Amino acid sequence: MKLPVSTEWVLHCATTLAQLDPGASASAAQLAQYYDLPAAYLTKQLKALVRAGLLAATTGPRGGFRLARPASEITLLQIVEAVDGTSSPYECREIRQRGRGALPPEDCRRTCVLAEKMADAHEAWRRSLAGVTLASLPPSAPSRTRLRLAGTV
């Protein structure tokens, strides 16, 4: 499974916001500069997290993004699904019923074994991400992060 690069961006940004002092926020421009990302596109991705209820946004000179609820209540799966959707990356198109090797319809009443295995793998991936909250991740340099986003370093 290959996810868009923006998935990495929002995962890191949400993790960074989780490391800020309670109630503190960071602007999309600050986060974009911190990670050397395109601000306009990052803003679009962060707004998807706002729509999903994972982040809150405030406007004005001291505005920015912050967690909308405690880090212990935000999972990696929720973040990924907010920007990438919930559909499975595998779609069975029943090619076993096409071409020179086509099986008759009566041999295809049961779901394709490959589609079943891919669905199982997708569900295992989802369960794994659902079991990880932002609060359960080790900090990745919280004091440095706070100082840089506060503009004091």
Side-chain angles (χ1 to χ4, degrees):
M1 169 182 322
K2 184 172 178 142
L3 297 171
V5 68
S6 58
T7 305
E8 178 187 9
W9 300 356
V10 295
L11 287 167
H12 278 283
C13 288
T15 302
T16 298
L17 293 172
Q19 295 175 21
L20 298 180
D21 292 329
S25 63
S27 70
Q30 288 173 306
L31 291 165
Q33 184 178 30
Y34 188 75
Y35 288 113
D36 191 26
L37 301 172
Y41 192 62
L42 178 61
T43 300
K44 178 181 173 186
Q45 301 304 312
L46 293 174
K47 286 181 179 180
L49 297 184
V50 171
R51 285 189 299 277
L54 304 173
L55 297 184
T58 53
T59 57
R62 310 273 298 158
F65 295 91
R66 62 178 168 71
L67 298 184
R69 52 187 194 245
S72 61
E73 297 176 14
I74 300 174
T75 69
L76 297 186
L77 180 63
Q78 291 169 326
I79 295 167
V80 170
E81 287 185 343
V83 294
D84 295 322
T86 60
S87 63
S88 173
Y90 182 81
E91 181 181 341
C92 181
R93 293 184 175 84
E94 280 295 342
I95 67 168
R96 64 188 177 157
Q97 295 183 53
R98 299 189 336 221
R100 290 179 59 188
L103 295 172
E106 59 272 12
D107 288 351
C108 299
R109 289 189 184 118
R110 188 171 175 272
T111 302
C112 170
V113 68
L114 297 174
E116 284 179 2
K117 295 303 177 189
M118 294 303 283
D120 291 347
H122 181 65
E123 191 53 40
W125 180 80
R126 289 174 42 83
R127 275 192 310 274
S128 176
L129 292 180
V132 180
T133 66
L134 291 178
S136 70
L137 297 171
S140 61
S143 60
R144 189 185 98 199
T145 299
R146 285 193 290 272
L147 292 173
R148 292 212 172 159
L149 292 175
T152 57
V153 172

